[in-house]
């Protein structure tokens, strides 16, 4: 049902009035209703908080965010696009183009944080760091190998692990700091990114499960083995990467359970059992609370768009409304 | 006799969780005839959370239709909500919405297909629920 019939030479237009998989439309709608741009988050309000950070902390944040920018860049320009030829429906192709664009919004949003808070010299230095950091480059190399490989199943596994796991060594820092009231608006921006990545991971994982159902037992067990092995390789690299980022702030020990917690969720998105139990995924409750703030603990509503911001709905008034 | 009713969508996460429980259960179908699901009284409900974070869309419509039956609603004693903490404030929101609408407690929350610890906690909680249900 792709946009080109094999061997016919004819192109096909995507018809949203003929849906083969309702999940395509559901996820499209969800992504559209989640759409946001960094300009709507009042990042300048973080300037006083930024000035209170130690120079070492500022440098750590810059490095963490350039690392995240690199992953978003890869997902936007290679990862999501590479899934298009494997798509089973034309609507699935369209969803990947939406995901690709949103990853570019994410990548650009880190630059908004930088330009609001940091000097251009510091920004340049951090980008140089990301280009020369061996562990960051290694994680890019590992996923790119499978993005450019010949197996649609492995491509989806690598993509889901990036969406639902690889970002979290970076997301950890703004969530940790949000729990200490540091850079609250930057944290709100990151929460919007986390929400988007959760939908992406869910969708790519779901499409992986559809593919998985068509495979025989030996193909399934090969892909499951591949997934666990890839996760193991990435996790070893993530621990080295995290140590480089966080040793000086003394946060490295806290990152590991957070990574395992998210590794479980990546596996579950793919339809596999989690491999770490709660004793290994005991994330600091303050970090979890920062990840998932309840509505009533809202940010300053009047200052702008936070992750729990909602556009108001209106209803027409009638005479009874005015009968005091 | 107590019972357990659940809904699971195409991601099948809630089904994977429920299948790990040593508890007989019944699934609200994704498509097809709803009135085949006949919960035994009283029962608990496990449901995933949907949508864009608005309470209006948090409860899967199959679960809504199931709870629109007066008998089902009156026999419901508690709800367990699945979700994803990455959705922030709307994590497990379906549980809160059903809890408020049907005036039952939200007994537990877990993410996606749950961890072994979640399975153990729900089994323990369910055993206590069954004891109380048999006494009353």
């Amino acid at each position: 049902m792709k946009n080109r019939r094999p061997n016919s030479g004819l192109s096909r237009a995507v018809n949203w009035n003929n849906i083969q998989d309702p999940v395509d439309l559901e996820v499209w709608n969800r992504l559209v209703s989640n759409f946001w741009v960094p300009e709507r988050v009042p990042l300048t309000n973080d300037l006083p908080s930024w000035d209170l950070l130690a120079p070492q902390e500022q440098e750590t944040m810059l490095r963490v965010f350039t690392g995240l920018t690199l992953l978003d860049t890869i997902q936007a320009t290679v990862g999501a696009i590479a899934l298009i030829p494997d798509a089973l429906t034309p609507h699935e192709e369209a969803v990947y183009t939406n995901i690709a664009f949103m990853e570019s919004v994410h990548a650009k949003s880190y630059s908004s944080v930088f330009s609001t808070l940091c000097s251009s010299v510091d920004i340049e230095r951090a980008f140089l760091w990301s280009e020369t950091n061996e562990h960051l480059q290694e994680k890019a190399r590992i996923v790119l190998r499978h993005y450019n490989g010949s197996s649609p199943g492995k491509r989806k596994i690598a993509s889901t692990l990036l969406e639902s796991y690889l970002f979290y060594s970076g997301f950890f820092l703004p969530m940790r700091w949000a729990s200490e009231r540091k850079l609250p608006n930057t944290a709100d921006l990151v929460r919007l990114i986390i929400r988007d990545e959760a939908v992406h991971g869910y969708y790519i994982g779901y499409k992986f499960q559809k593919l998985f159902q068509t495979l025989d037992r030996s193909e399934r067990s090969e892909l499951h083995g591949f997934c666990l092995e890839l996760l193991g390789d990435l996790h070893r690299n993530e621990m080295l990467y995290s140590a480089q980022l966080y040793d000086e702030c003394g946060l490295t020990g806290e990152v590991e359970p957070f990574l395992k917690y998210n590794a479980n969720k990546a596996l579950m998105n793919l339809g596999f059992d989690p491999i770490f139990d709660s004793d290994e995924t005991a994330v600091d409750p303050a970090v979890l609370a920062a990840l998932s703030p309840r509505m009533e603990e809202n940010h300053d509503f009047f200052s702008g768009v936070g992750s729990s911001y909602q556009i108001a709905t209106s209803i027409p008034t009638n005479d009874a409304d005015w009968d005091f | 006799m107590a019972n357990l009713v659940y809904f699971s969508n195409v991601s099948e996460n809630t089904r994977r969780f429920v299948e790990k429980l040593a508890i007989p259960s019944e699934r609200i179908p994704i498509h097809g005839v709803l009135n085949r699901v006949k919960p035994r009284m009283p029962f608990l409900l496990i449901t995933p959370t949907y949508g864009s974070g608005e309470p209006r869309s948090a409860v899967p419509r199959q679960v809504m239709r199931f709870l629109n039956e007066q008998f089902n609603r009156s026999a419901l004693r508690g709800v367990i909500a699945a979700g994803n903490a990455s959705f922030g404030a709307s994590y497990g929101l379906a549980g809160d919405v059903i809890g408020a609408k049907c005036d039952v407690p939200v007994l537990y929350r877990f993410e996606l297909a749950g961890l072994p610890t979640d399975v153990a906690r729900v089994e323990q909680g369910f055993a206590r629920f069954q004891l109380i249900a048999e006494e009353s």
Side-chain angles (χ1 to χ4, degrees):
Chain A
M1 281 306 194
K2 296 272 294 302
N3 60 3
R4 197 172 284 275
R5 287 173 203 259
N7 307 323
S8 71
L10 299 174
S11 291
R12 296 183 79 189
V14 56
N15 179 2
W16 283 93
N17 293 310
N18 179 9
I19 302 278
Q20 291 94 50
D21 185 347
V23 177
D24 294 336
L25 180 60
E26 274 169 37
V27 169
W28 174 274
N29 288 338
R30 174 78 192 250
L31 292 170
V32 169
S33 70
N34 281 357
F35 178 75
W36 60 280
V37 286
E39 288 73 17
R40 291 171 70 192
V41 181
L43 293 168
T44 46
N45 293 357
D46 278 352
L47 274 168
S49 174
W50 174 255
D51 290 337
L52 291 173
L53 295 175
Q56 179 57 47
E57 291 180 308
Q58 293 183 344
E59 186 178 55
T60 301
M61 196 215 73
L62 269 154
R63 288 177 175 182
V64 164
F65 279 16
T66 49
L68 289 169
T69 305
L70 178 66
L71 292 186
D72 278 311
T73 308
I74 289 171
Q75 200 65 350
T77 59
V78 186
I81 307 291
L83 297 171
I84 292 178
D86 306 329
L88 300 174
T89 69
H91 317 99
E92 182 182 351
E93 298 178 318
V95 172
Y96 292 139
T97 62
N98 182 317
I99 290 176
F101 173 65
M102 212 55 217
E103 299 292 1
S104 281
V105 172
H106 298 167
K108 186 168 180 292
S109 70
Y110 295 116
S111 286
S112 297
V113 175
F114 294 153
S115 63
T116 308
L117 303 177
C118 319
S119 74
S120 48
V121 176
D122 291 340
I123 298 170
E124 287 301 321
R125 200 188 299 138
F127 273 95
L128 187 64
W129 180 87
S130 76
E131 281 160 35
T132 53
N133 182 273
E134 51 178 321
H135 304 305
L136 183 58
Q137 290 298 323
E138 174 68 5
K139 83 166 132 178
R141 245 191 321 272
I142 294 173
V143 289
L144 283 171
R145 186 161 61 231
H146 300 296
Y147 286 176
N148 296 321
S150 58
S151 161
K154 291 179 181 176
R155 207 178 344 270
K156 286 194 176 68
I157 287 172
S159 215
T160 305
L161 290 181
L162 184 140
E163 298 275 10
S164 302
Y165 166 75
L166 279 182
F167 281 115
Y168 283 86
S169 54
F171 289 154
F172 171 78
L173 186 69
M175 292 301 108
R176 166 83 268 167
W177 281 356
S179 72
E180 302 163 22
R181 295 298 293 160
K182 290 176 182 167
L183 306 182
N185 295 286
T186 302
D188 254 337
L189 179 140
V190 172
R191 283 190 198 99
L192 291 168
I193 297 175
I194 289 174
R195 184 178 73 176
D196 292 341
E197 307 302 11
V199 181
H200 299 171
Y202 168 86
Y203 183 72
I204 301 169
Y206 159 73
K207 289 293 180 181
F208 172 78
Q209 290 186 52
K210 294 273 278 192
L211 170 74
F212 199 70
Q213 284 160 8
T214 67
L215 302 178
D216 65 33
R217 186 188 292 241
S218 78
E219 290 168 317
R220 287 183 186 193
S221 106
E222 198 237 319
L223 272 184
H224 187 214
F226 165 81
C227 177
L228 295 179
E229 203 176 308
L230 178 60
L231 179 60
D233 291 345
L234 289 170
H235 190 68
R236 270 186 295 281
N237 186 62
E238 283 303 279
M239 288 316 298
L240 296 169
Y241 178 61
S242 303
Q244 272 186 352
L245 284 172
Y246 297 125
D247 268 358
E248 283 186 68
C249 319
L251 291 171
T252 311
E254 279 189 47
V255 179
E256 186 163 15
F258 191 62
L259 291 181
K260 288 179 172 172
Y261 162 75
N262 286 292
N264 275 345
K265 288 165 72 169
L267 290 171
M268 289 189 273
N269 275 335
L270 289 162
F272 297 136
D273 279 335
I275 54 173
F276 303 108
D277 199 2
S278 49
D279 54 332
E280 288 181 278
T281 60
V283 181
D284 185 338
V287 174
L288 283 184
L291 184 69
S292 184
R294 305 298 294 178
M295 301 279 199
E296 57 270 27
E297 295 158 19
N298 217 331
H299 61 284
D300 171 12
F301 178 84
F302 295 103
S303 65
V305 181
S307 59
S308 60
Y309 173 89
Q310 293 192 348
I311 294 169
T313 51
S314 61
I315 50 167
T317 60
N318 57 46
D319 286 347
D321 293 334
W322 309 99
D323 181 16
F324 297 112
Chain B
M1 274 291 274
N3 210 336
L4 184 66
V5 173
Y6 74 98
F7 177 70
S8 184
N9 201 9
V10 291
S11 75
E12 300 287 350
N13 270 324
T14 313
R15 176 184 60 80
R16 273 190 283 273
F17 177 80
V18 171
E19 281 177 357
K20 287 179 199 150
L21 299 171
I23 301 170
S25 61
E26 218 176 332
R27 179 176 183 164
I28 299 171
I30 300 178
H31 312 288
V33 192
L34 186 63
N35 57 16
R36 290 224 190 97
V37 182
K38 291 275 179 240
R40 277 185 281 188
M41 208 171 162
F43 74 100
L44 301 183
L45 173 71
I46 304 184
T47 180
T49 298
Y50 270 19
S52 53
E54 281 182 59
R56 201 163 43 83
S57 56
V59 181
R61 72 174 185 283
Q62 292 88 341
V63 174
M64 249 186 245
R65 255 188 273 141
F66 171 76
L67 289 174
N68 277 341
E69 299 285 327
Q70 163 64 23
F71 172 80
N72 294 343
R73 213 164 48 241
S74 65
L76 178 67
R77 288 293 176 275
V79 59
I80 294 168
N84 185 341
S86 299
F87 294 130
S90 57
Y91 167 41
L93 188 60
D96 302 293
V97 172
I98 292 170
K101 264 262 194 305
C102 302
D103 196 22
V104 295
V106 182
L107 297 165
Y108 197 67
R109 237 176 262 271
F110 63 90
E111 290 193 86
L112 305 176
L115 300 186
T117 308
D118 297 312
V119 172
R121 286 196 190 136
V122 169
E123 279 180 343
Q124 282 163 13
F126 192 82
R128 274 176 54 204
F129 164 72
Q130 216 158 7
L131 270 179
I132 296 165
E134 276 165 21
E135 280 167 14
S136 60

